């Protein structure tokens, strides 16, 4: 399995507090069957994102962790107009491994109407947005059809593994089920932050997804699709969402 959204680097955001915790999180992930983690520190008003500095931290962590899990760099980009302009100016500073895929987190309290236009512009620039954890966003819990519209614009959707197993409460669980049943989930990621509450791991979520949509789709969500993301390829599982069920 491959985890494309994980706060594995220490002391750069609200992820692990120490290098030792980062290393232990990698061990937990490997024990769960994760072969590759994309380190995705926040880029938002609270946490400055400095790609070169983060790259240096990753080199250091790789030395401690060894070959498994493989560690590469991405970004948990909070959607704002400033961040949108920064990505348009230099996409490879924010995309996963400098390739075509970009994690985009939408604000919990307001989603600007211009977001559709911004997604379209990103696609024109060759950037594929991956919308992170819409199942945890109160606005999208109320109006999940918006997520389906963004898929029509070419965006992919990532849900949180622990939302599928109930760790984010009923609303997030229902929203994740709603999306899964409509073929509107493309990737499951951990969004892990620590060793206690938001731990690494994808195997439980994979089992939960398989109960809803079968083993083949569950495999695509934790393996084939995230593998295509880190390889910079088109997603092998990207069906048209089922709007009318
Ligand atoms: Fe995150």
């Amino acid at each position: 399995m491959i985890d494309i959204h994980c706060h594995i680097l220490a002391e750069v955001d609200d992820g692990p507090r120490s290098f030792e915790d980062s290393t232990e999180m990698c061990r937990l992930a490997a024990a769960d069957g994760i072969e590759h983690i994309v380190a995705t520190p926040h880029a938002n008003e609270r946490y400055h994102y400095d790609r070169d500095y983060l790259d240096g931290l990753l080199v250091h962590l790789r030395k401690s962790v060894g070959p498994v899990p493989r560690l590469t760099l991405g970004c948990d980009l909070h959607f704002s107009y400033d961040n949108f302009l920064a990505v348009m100016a230099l996409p490879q500073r924010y995309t996963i491994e400098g390739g075509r895929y970009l994690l985009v987190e939408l604000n919990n309290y307001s989603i600007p109407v211009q977001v559709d236009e911004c997604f379209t512009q990103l696609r024109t620039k060759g950037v594929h947005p991956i919308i992170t954890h819409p199942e945890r966003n109160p606005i999208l819990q109320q109006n999940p059809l918006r997520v389906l519209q963004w898929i029509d614009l070419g965006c992919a959707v990532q849900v949180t593994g622990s939302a599928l197993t109930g760790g984010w409460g009923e609303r997030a669980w229902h929203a994740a089920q709603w999306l899964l049943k409509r073929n509107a989930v493309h990737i499951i990621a951990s969004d892990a932050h620590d060793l206690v509450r938001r731990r690494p791991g994808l195997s439980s979520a994979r089992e939960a997804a398989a109960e809803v949509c079968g083993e083949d789709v569950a495999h695509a969500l934790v393996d084939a699709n995230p593998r295509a993301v880190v390889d910079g390829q088109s997603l092998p599982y990207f069906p048209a969402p089922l709007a009318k069920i």
Side-chain angles (χ1 to χ4, degrees), residues 5 7 40 42 76 133 191 193 198:
H5 183 172
H7 299 260
T40 53
H42 287 291
D76 190 353
H133 47 71
D191 198 4
H193 279 63
R198 299 174 71 178

Side-chain angles (χ1 to χ4, degrees), residues 103-240:
L103 297 185
V104 179
E105 178 187 15
L106 295 163
N107 190 280
N108 277 349
Y109 306 104
S110 82
I111 299 177
V113 287
Q114 299 91 330
V115 73
D116 293 43
E117 174 58 25
C118 293
F119 286 156
T120 302
Q121 285 193 40
L122 287 168
R123 295 286 288 112
T124 307
K125 190 93 180 169
V127 175
H128 291 237
I130 300 174
I131 298 160
T132 63
H133 47 71
E135 81 284 357
R136 287 161 37 199
N137 183 299
I139 299 169
L140 299 174
Q141 287 170 353
Q142 295 288 326
N143 188 5
L145 282 172
R146 287 196 80 179
V147 180
L148 305 195
Q149 289 159 0
W150 294 327
I151 295 171
D152 288 339
L153 293 178
C155 299
V157 172
Q158 174 252 304
V159 300
T160 318
S162 52
L164 290 170
T165 54
W168 289 87
E170 263 189 52
R171 283 187 186 173
W173 184 85
H174 277 293
Q177 298 290 312
W178 192 97
L179 292 167
L180 260 188
K181 287 173 182 167
R182 283 159 183 80
N183 297 342
V185 178
H186 308 105
I187 292 151
I188 299 171
S190 74
D191 198 4
H193 279 63
D194 55 44
L195 286 164
V196 182
R197 204 179 75 79
R198 299 174 71 178
R199 293 156 59 91
L202 289 172
S203 58
S204 303
R206 176 189 174 149
E207 286 169 25
E211 284 179 24
V212 181
C213 46
E215 290 288 348
D216 288 350
V217 172
H219 174 267
L221 303 185
V222 298
D223 194 320
N225 270 358
R227 194 175 298 279
V229 168
V230 296
D231 288 343
Q233 303 293 322
S234 299
L235 301 186
Y237 173 75
F238 195 75

